[in-house]
Amino acid sequence: MTWWRRAVIYEIYPRSFADGNGDGIGDIRGIIGRLDYLAGTLGVDAIWCGPLYPSPQVDFGYDISDMTDIDPVFGDLADFDELVAAAHARNLRVIIDFVPNHTSDRHPWFVESRSSRDNPKRDWYVWADPKPDGSPPSNWTSEQGGSTWELDEHTGQYYLHSFHRAQPDVNWRNPELRAAMLDVLRFWLDRGVDGFRIDVLHMIAKHPELRDNPVREHPEPNPTDRQHPDYDTQWHVHDRMHPDLHGYIREMRAVLDEYSERTGRERIAIGEIEAMPWDAWVAYLGEELDGVHFTFNFNFIEAGWDAESLRGSIEAQEAALPAGAWPNYVLSNLDRPRLATRNGPDSVRVAAMLLLTLRGTPTLYYGDELGLADIDIPPAQWQDPLGRDQERAPMPWTARDNGGFTGPGVRPWLPVTAEYLSRSVESQLADEGSVLGLYRRLLAVRRASPALVDGDHEPIDTGAAGKHCLAYLRRHPDQTLAVLLNLGPDETTIELPAPGGVVLSSHDPVATTGPGTAVRLRGYEGVIVEIAQ
Ligand code: NOJ
């Protein structure tokens, strides 16, 4: 079984993880200092580090001005090399962001491209003439609000920016641009990275005629997504997801495969794509499984937090995946309100058990292992235009001062709140019953259980009495486990198909003994039961 199928991935938001140089902003040296926590104390297998590239930080690193260097805020290439070596020495894989859809407007490619209509790099970006009345080339709207088109007075054409106007979209139809992007992958593969999380992969090919998007009569803003209301006023069908992108993905994959074969270490591509019907979603894996290794599955963020929706979402992914493909699950990320905020604090423990017991690769967002909720920041103080600061607050390592995130007396870039201090790593390590204690036990049980790592998934019918429960078997030739999750507040009883013994409860640090075939669950409790073979 390849490493990434067994792995639990941990997402680090570098600005907020740990500050190694005392300037109030997290950095690479800070991450290096916490690798023992990740590999040892917590027990994850891979880290995905958000963007570390030089950037004006308009979109906090997703506006890149140099794709082959490190922003001084985070350190330098020597620090990065040390991070990779130190992670590998602890058996931790390193995944980094690759942002193929856009650059910063300060990137030298764009500076050249905008300098004149006949510059050799003009076609590296998406330029178009105004409509005869001078208006933008299409009606496309951006997540930040307003048009995706910005007029460049100097050359009289508009450039496309699917995000902020400081993030011009590149043109993947141009072979030289594609070659330059593939060289970026090679640069980081040569430095030893194990894979890439590929930003907005569904957006890299647009309709070549730049057709208007159909207007959406009844906009339904997604409450879990932080987008400007303008964004939702149309169906985003022509500004993204053009089928030509699958060919571009195969080109990326070929580069990764070449490195995997040459070095004997599998390098992976994870696509970040928006919610879409399952058949479109699996297309990113490629017809011959020659696309990305997997695309992040944000269904647990998008779907309702109730047993029926979750069951439907799990079964839909299982049914949609072609033979040989592998599922994955994500509970929170850098762009969405945290789990504890979306679904309430009662959901945290049972969600941990859900994430870490399903068939597939889980991705855990930093701080979720502490049960952190969003911080409250008034819009006037948002640093991110969409308010995503709320789910990006500094990690509380200790209960004092700045929570050990940065030095005492230093002003952290976002506040370390009293609530965060009360949930610090230090205090939770001292309490076996804490959320962190549960995560540690779950990760250890997962690692030691062939059924959780590699077993089949089989739903258990919980009947009318268990309508707030989600239950499934994980079957492996050497072991069968039942996972029983009560998402509601009331006690309930679930019948197992065969007797077994409780391995782990979300509520008790110490496992209780086997209950026979009837398992009584407290409100919001989850248990893992080993079924007698
Ligand atoms: C998705 C990233 O997660 C988000 O933070 C960013 O703003 C957009 N892509 C644009 O790069």
Side-chain angles (χ1 to χ4, degrees), residues 11 13 48 59-63 97 99 101-102 143-144 163-164 167 197 199-200 203 272 333-335 384 386 388 392:
E11 178 187 352
Y13 190 68
W48 152 33
D59 188 13
F60 290 105
Y62 286 97
D63 49 322
D97 259 278
V99 184
N101 183 67
H102 43 267
E143 289 197 25
Q144 269 86 357
F163 294 89
H164 194 276
Q167 291 167 289
R197 172 269 192 191
D199 191 61
V200 289
M203 296 177 91
E272 189 236 4
N333 68 26
L334 74 164
D335 296 320
D384 175 69
L386 299 173
R388 292 171 293 185
R392 298 175 176 177

Side-chain angles (χ1 to χ4, degrees), residues 151-163:
L151 182 64
D152 177 58
E153 300 282 352
H154 170 61
T155 57
Q157 283 190 309
Y158 282 88
Y159 67 85
L160 180 68
H161 57 90
S162 293
F163 294 89

Side-chain angles (χ1 to χ4, degrees), residues 469-471 483-494 505 519-529:
C469 294
L470 182 63
V483 181
L484 314 173
L485 306 169
N486 184 4
L487 294 146
D490 301 325
E491 269 195 15
T492 187
T493 301
I494 298 182
S505 154
V519 182
R520 192 138 191 88
L521 297 172
R522 289 165 278 185
Y524 304 113
E525 184 178 24
V527 296
I528 303 175
V529 179

Side-chain angles (χ1 to χ4, degrees), residues 212-497:
D212 277 353
N213 282 329
V215 169
R216 192 168 179 171
E217 297 294 344
H218 304 289
E220 285 171 28
N222 178 344
T224 70
D225 221 340
R226 302 195 192 272
Q227 289 156 340
H228 190 280
D230 282 359
Y231 179 76
D232 202 42
T233 56
Q234 56 189 228
W235 297 103
H236 289 271
V237 289
H238 296 315
D239 52 351
R240 62 197 57 192
M241 293 185 290
H242 189 275
D244 288 349
L245 59 78
H246 295 297
Y248 309 148
I249 296 173
R250 281 195 297 276
E251 291 182 30
M252 299 179 203
R253 174 64 183 263
V255 172
L256 296 180
D257 285 352
E258 181 202 316
Y259 275 80
S260 304
E261 279 156 29
R262 184 147 47 82
T263 62
R265 269 181 39 228
E266 192 173 13
R267 320 292 179 104
I268 63 163
I270 307 172
E272 189 236 4
I273 61 176
E274 67 184 23
M276 58 183 75
W278 289 103
D279 54 341
W281 187 79
V282 296
Y284 288 76
L285 305 176
E287 278 176 21
E288 309 287 329
L289 294 187
D290 51 357
V292 292
H293 292 77
F294 63 92
T295 39
F296 273 139
N297 169 13
F298 296 142
N299 242 261
F300 282 176
I301 301 178
E302 307 266 342
W305 192 255
D306 59 84
E308 199 185 329
S309 306
L310 295 173
R311 189 178 305 119
S313 155
I314 295 163
E315 287 169 22
Q317 183 183 206
E318 286 279 347
L321 288 173
W326 187 246
N328 83 91
Y329 295 93
V330 178
L331 279 182
S332 299
N333 68 26
L334 74 164
D335 296 320
R336 308 294 186 96
R338 282 184 180 271
L339 167 82
T341 299
R342 293 195 320 268
N343 304 322
D346 289 330
S347 66
V348 163
R349 288 172 171 270
V350 77
M353 192 169 276
L354 174 69
L355 179 72
L356 295 172
T357 57
L358 283 168
R359 190 180 89 98
T361 301
T363 300
L364 167 60
Y365 188 47
Y366 86 98
D368 268 10
E369 78 272 31
L370 305 177
L372 300 180
D374 289 359
I375 57 166
D376 213 4
I377 313 183
Q381 287 166 30
W382 289 353
Q383 300 190 39
D384 175 69
L386 299 173
R388 292 171 293 185
D389 327 42
Q390 296 167 96
E391 60 262 19
R392 298 175 176 177
M395 180 83 171
W397 296 98
T398 67
R400 296 172 305 283
D401 304 319
N402 286 321
F405 163 71
T406 184
V410 177
R411 191 187 158 100
W413 81 286
L414 287 174
V416 181
T417 62
E419 166 70 12
Y420 269 40
L421 292 177
S422 74
R423 293 181 170 273
S424 73
V425 171
E426 184 184 48
S427 37
Q428 295 204 33
L429 283 178
D431 171 9
E432 260 201 275
S434 64
V435 177
L436 179 58
L438 173 63
Y439 266 93
R440 294 178 67 202
R441 284 192 295 283
L442 275 167
L443 283 157
V445 167
R446 181 185 169 91
R447 187 170 287 197
S449 305
L452 292 183
V453 173
D454 197 20
D456 292 339
H457 173 92
E458 198 181 297
I460 297 176
D461 183 359
T462 54
K467 66 177 189 300
H468 298 301
C469 294
L470 182 63
Y472 42 90
L473 291 174
R474 299 295 316 281
R475 270 191 206 280
H476 184 273
D478 299 333
Q479 185 186 44
T480 300
L481 296 178
V483 181
L484 314 173
L485 306 169
N486 184 4
L487 294 146
D490 301 325
E491 269 195 15
T492 187
T493 301
I494 298 182
E495 283 294 331
L496 291 173

Side-chain angles (χ1 to χ4, degrees), residues 122-199:
R122 185 66 169 182
D123 189 47
W124 283 35
Y125 289 81
V126 184
W127 290 95
D129 289 329
K131 285 189 171 157
D133 64 358
S135 62
S138 71
N139 70 347
W140 301 350
T141 53
S142 127
E143 289 197 25
Q144 269 86 357
S147 171
T148 57
W149 295 100
E150 183 77 7
L151 182 64
D152 177 58
E153 300 282 352
H154 170 61
T155 57
Q157 283 190 309
Y158 282 88
Y159 67 85
L160 180 68
H161 57 90
S162 293
F163 294 89
H164 194 276
R165 65 175 181 281
Q167 291 167 289
D169 285 38
V170 301
N171 177 18
W172 273 77
R173 297 183 185 283
N174 181 299
E176 286 176 20
L177 176 279
R178 290 210 298 283
M181 283 288 188
L182 299 183
D183 278 346
V184 171
L185 295 178
R186 292 188 184 97
F187 177 88
W188 295 103
L189 290 165
D190 283 334
R191 301 196 101 86
V193 302
D194 299 285
F196 299 93
R197 172 269 192 191
I198 310 183
D199 191 61

